[in-house]
Amino acid sequence: MNADRVFPPQFLWGAATSAYQIEGSPLADGAGASIWHEFSHTPGRTRAGDTGDVACDHYRRYRDDVALMRTLGLQGYRFSVAWGRVLPEGRGWVNPAGLSFYQRLVDALLEQGIEPMVTLYHWDLPAALDRLGGWLNPDSAAWFADYAQVLFRALGDRVKLWVTLNEPWVVVDGGYLHGVLAPGQRNPFAAPVAAHHLLRAHATAVQAYRAESNQQIGLVVNLEPKYPATETVEDLAATMRADAYWNRFYLDPVFLGSYPPELPEIFGAAWPSFSAADLALIQQPIDFLGINYYSRQVVSHDPTDWPLAAARVRQPHQTHTGLDWEVYPQGLTDILEWVSGRYGPLPLYVTENGAAFYDPPQSAGEIADPLRLAYLRTHLRAALAAIDKGVDLRGYFAWSLLDNFEWAHGYSQRFGLVHVDYATQQRTPKASARFYSEVIRSHGAALATDFSTERAG
Ligand code: BGC
């Protein structure tokens, strides 16, 4: 990399978290339970029965965490609001104590000069709404827009970057198709319906936002570029199906007004028909798109895989993370270019990117995490390569600020730039956090420094 290459001056450098993964105290001050609270308290659903009851205790330690962000030099912080803290029943009564937590958090961030990016939905639907059918209920779009409006009114004067949904793909795939995430349904007939109502909810919230404010609102999707294992007709078709299901399912309707043609083939009789009015609604213009990028997939045709008949071909010579995800930085450049070309040009943020690796114990007060550091370095270079190719990338949020509750994997996987000792709640920045600070301080010039200099500072 050319040592002089730096990121644009306005580039926003941040880190991301989500409410259920870090806050703890899920029922404090009158909050209503979420589907994740109920799911994690159901035996057998999460690894070792782990729950978000304590997590990183961020609900009580948020001031210290904001001070830590400041120490690290972060300019932006992406977090999510727990819907059930604000509306314990999911709709109706607004709980001032829950709302006050997010008001205090935003104020603390702004006092430190850190730009908040607020995600309205990061998977923790109020359990009371799930009992009414959750995302399968057509009313869910209106519930979501009403909730969003409460937040826009409470925080709209201070928050300039809003995200409606985090990764609708995961909500649908894990929550309604395979049942490994809350609410734990495994039903091909449910999945397309949930997907459609999530998109209606997104669009209805965007409409509500336009009536209240004129800053920026967008959507966050997880994208994973697909590459065929071979050039056979079968593998190429499988790659198209995987691409439709993962990458175009939510973006085609938002930007192009229709679902990808492969989806009826994948879902068969379970694929419903959707009204033209809904599809027009879903096409609300948005101000930016957030992309969460972790890995790629090399795809081969596999009739035993359900429902895609498309299997991942593991690349044995590549580095894999603790979750067995292939480390593939080039995929970030590729997917950013692909999104800009297909749907843009449009402002983009990398709203999540990071890696779970085993972290060795502290030695001499340092936590050396060379694999995470290398992941960060190579992916930031890949982001810069996309900018060089003309992609309008406005910022980057590392996943994650803190080690946290990794959903069904519980606390077994650590994604943090900052280590969390769950017994004491002590936070210790890892070498990757020190490196990231240096990258931010130098606008990216530190990405060019020699690997031999990588140590905790
Ligand atoms: C989610 C995060 C999650 C991360 C790592 C993303 O899919 O938004 O909540 O922790 O990936 O799995």
Side-chain angles (χ1 to χ4, degrees):
M1 192 182 107
N2 181 340
D4 302 333
R5 274 301 285 126
V6 291
F7 282 75
Q10 301 307 321
F11 195 80
L12 186 61
W13 298 94
T17 63
S18 89
Y20 191 74
Q21 293 181 275
I22 65 163
E23 287 178 353
S25 310
L27 305 180
D29 302 323
S34 73
I35 54 173
W36 264 98
H37 179 74
E38 297 200 339
F39 190 78
S40 65
H41 280 268
T42 305
R45 290 304 206 168
T46 63
R47 186 186 170 278
D50 288 347
T51 72
D53 286 1
V54 178
C56 306
D57 197 22
H58 173 78
Y59 188 69
R60 298 191 304 165
R61 294 168 193 263
Y62 73 94
R63 283 203 167 276
D64 293 343
D65 288 336
V66 172
L68 175 64
M69 293 176 215
R70 168 68 189 241
T71 310
L72 295 175
L74 298 189
Q75 302 165 350
Y77 176 53
R78 173 174 176 247
F79 65 93
S80 78
V81 174
W83 185 340
R85 287 199 196 282
V86 178
L87 292 120
E89 292 294 312
R91 52 192 186 143
W93 181 66
V94 176
N95 179 14
L99 197 53
S100 143
F101 170 67
Y102 297 105
Q103 287 168 320
R104 285 178 282 125
L105 174 59
V106 165
D107 287 345
L109 289 165
L110 294 176
E111 273 164 32
Q112 300 294 342
I114 299 170
E115 187 79 51
M117 178 186 273
V118 177
T119 302
L120 292 166
Y121 187 70
H122 200 125
W123 310 354
D124 46 359
L125 189 75
L129 296 183
D130 192 52
R131 282 191 267 284
L132 300 176
W135 294 113
L136 301 178
N137 188 325
D139 293 343
S140 53
W143 302 334
F144 182 67
D146 289 348
Y147 152 64
Q149 191 183 56
V150 172
L151 269 298
F152 298 149
R153 290 189 175 162
L155 299 174
D157 58 335
R158 282 159 288 172
V159 173
K160 298 188 187 128
L161 293 169
W162 292 89
V163 170
T164 53
L165 308 175
N166 179 70
E167 302 187 350
W169 182 89
V170 174
V171 176
V172 172
D173 183 79
Y176 290 90
L177 188 64
H178 293 293
V180 295
L181 302 175
Q185 295 197 32
R186 186 181 159 83
N187 180 351
F189 286 84
V193 175
H196 189 68
H197 292 326
L198 278 157
L199 286 174
R200 288 178 55 247
H202 153 78
T204 312
V206 172
Q207 282 185 325
Y209 187 69
R210 301 286 179 226
E212 298 288 334
S213 191
N214 59 359
Q215 301 285 345
Q216 310 252 303
I217 190 160
L219 172 70
V220 165
V221 289
N222 56 304
L223 299 180
E224 200 187 78
K226 309 293 175 189
Y227 306 88
T230 72
E231 296 297 314
T232 60
V233 173
E234 289 78 12
D235 282 357
L236 291 173
T239 305
M240 289 298 282
R241 287 195 298 279
D243 181 61
Y245 179 67
W246 277 74
N247 299 324
R248 287 179 273 127
F249 197 155
Y250 301 89
L251 294 182
D252 273 13
V254 167
F255 291 107
L256 307 178
S258 60
Y259 285 103
E262 294 89 345
L263 294 179
E265 180 197 342
I266 293 168
F267 283 95
W271 185 258
S273 65
F274 298 111
S275 75
D278 276 3
L279 288 165
L281 167 76
I282 289 168
Q283 235 186 322
Q284 293 305 309
I286 55 175
D287 302 307
F288 66 88
L289 181 69
I291 294 168
N292 296 350
Y293 174 78
Y294 289 93
S295 188
R296 70 150 168 183
Q297 189 183 17
V298 176
V299 187
S300 73
H301 176 72
D302 179 353
T304 66
D305 172 80
W306 178 82
L308 291 175
R312 180 183 302 271
V313 182
R314 195 172 191 278
Q315 303 299 298
H317 302 300
Q318 300 279 70
T319 306
H320 287 72
T321 72
L323 287 165
D324 205 30
W325 297 351
E326 181 188 342
V327 176
Y328 191 70
Q330 177 65 39
L332 178 57
T333 314
D334 291 353
I335 205 74
L336 289 169
E337 277 195 274
W338 174 79
V339 163
S340 296
R342 184 174 174 85
Y343 304 109
L346 80 164
L348 302 177
Y349 288 87
V350 173
T351 34
E352 287 180 28
N353 176 237
F357 285 115
Y358 168 77
D359 292 325
Q362 287 193 38
S363 127
E366 294 183 356
I367 294 174
D369 60 341
L371 293 175
R372 186 175 298 99
L373 195 157
Y375 185 100
L376 198 58
R377 179 198 295 279
T378 51
H379 285 78
L380 283 167
R381 284 178 177 170
L384 192 53
I387 294 174
D388 284 343
K389 290 179 174 181
V391 170
D392 184 7
L393 184 64
R394 305 274 173 102
Y396 174 94
F397 292 80
W399 184 271
S400 178
L401 175 69
L402 303 169
D403 290 335
N404 59 45
F405 176 77
E406 178 53 25
W407 307 112
H409 299 283
Y411 296 97
S412 67
Q413 300 294 326
R414 293 180 178 269
F415 274 91
L417 298 176
V418 175
H419 180 269
V420 176
D421 178 334
Y422 294 113
T424 63
Q425 290 296 342
Q426 192 187 334
R427 276 77 162 135
T428 308
K430 304 175 193 177
S432 57
R434 307 271 181 214
F435 171 71
Y436 191 43
S437 298
E438 197 44 38
V439 171
I440 297 172
R441 205 193 49 73
S442 66
H443 295 283
L447 292 173
T449 55
D450 185 54
F451 270 76
S452 61
T453 61
E454 286 168 7
R455 55 184 299 279

